[in-house]
Amino acid sequence: MRLLTALPLALFFLSPAIAPPVFAENGSVQVDEMSSRPGWSYRKTSKSYAQLIGDLKAAVKANKFGIVTEAGPTEVARGRGVRIPGNRVIGVFNNVYAVRVLDLSTPAMIEAPIRFYVTENADGSADLSYKLPSTVFAPYLAEAGPELDVICKELDQIFATIARTAAQ
C-alpha cells in the first residue's frame, strides 16, 4: 500500500516532462522566478533549509492547520548521486475549510491542499513562497459565489500568518 502511495510522487519528481525550478549558475533558485509572480507570496529568509522546514511545520500546527502532503526531489536526487539545492513542497489545509469549500464547489477541492514551497539558496539560506489561496481558488469564484471569496480572504490571512511566523 505504501508503494502505491509513494509511486505517483516518485514518478512526478522523476518525470522529465515536468519543468524543474530555474536555478542560477551558483545553484540558487532565481529570485525573480519566485518573487515576481503575480498571486504569489515570497519571503526571503536567513534560515537554513532544515530550520525553515521545521519552523514552517510548527507555524502550520500553531495555526490549527495540518500538513496533508510533503514531497521534494532533493533526497531522491541525492540517492541517485545528483546534488541539487533543497526543494520541498508542503501541502497544508484544515478540514473546517475543506467542508466549507465543498459546500460551495466540489471541483474547487482539487486545489487543496494549498502548498508552501521551501527552496534552498547557494549560501545555505532558504526562502518560502506560496500561491495565495485567493489565487488558487479564483477559477471557482463564479460558480461558487461570494462565500468562496470570504473563505479565500480568511485563508489569505491565515497563510500570511503561517508564512510570517515561519520566516521570522
Side-chain angles (χ1 to χ4, degrees):
M1 183 68 166
R2 293 186 96 180
L3 180 61
L4 292 176
T5 303
L7 186 58
L9 287 175
L11 290 174
F12 174 80
F13 285 104
L14 297 175
S15 171
I18 305 295
V22 176
F23 293 97
E25 286 183 38
N26 66 5
S28 66
V29 173
Q30 292 181 356
V31 172
D32 288 344
E33 289 296 312
M34 306 307 275
S35 66
S36 63
R37 293 187 175 275
W40 284 57
S41 173
Y42 169 81
R43 291 183 178 270
K44 183 157 191 57
T45 81
S46 59
K47 293 184 177 190
S48 72
Y49 174 71
Q51 181 183 9
L52 184 54
I53 289 172
D55 290 350
L56 175 59
K57 289 178 178 183
V60 167
K61 185 176 181 179
N63 282 276
K64 297 179 173 65
F65 273 61
I67 295 173
V68 180
T69 60
E70 185 172 354
T74 308
E75 290 76 18
V76 174
R78 189 172 294 127
R80 295 180 23 245
V82 177
R83 173 87 172 106
I84 62 172
N87 189 290
R88 182 78 55 96
V89 176
I90 300 174
V92 172
F93 219 63
N94 174 301
N95 185 259
V96 171
Y97 284 95
V99 170
R100 287 176 64 193
V101 170
L102 278 169
D103 282 344
L104 303 171
S105 170
T106 299
M109 276 306 294
I110 190 73
E111 306 299 343
I114 297 171
R115 298 170 310 272
F116 283 98
Y117 192 24
V118 179
T119 51
E120 184 179 30
N121 299 306
D123 66 0
S125 68
D127 301 331
L128 180 63
S129 54
Y130 65 95
K131 286 184 184 179
L132 299 172
S134 57
T135 298
V136 171
F137 288 117
Y140 308 95
L141 288 172
E143 74 181 50
E147 182 60 26
L148 183 57
D149 190 46
V150 170
I151 292 169
C152 288
K153 286 181 171 89
E154 292 172 20
L155 289 171
D156 281 353
Q157 289 179 351
I158 294 166
F159 274 66
T161 299
I162 290 169
R164 183 175 50 254
T165 302
Q168 293 180 3

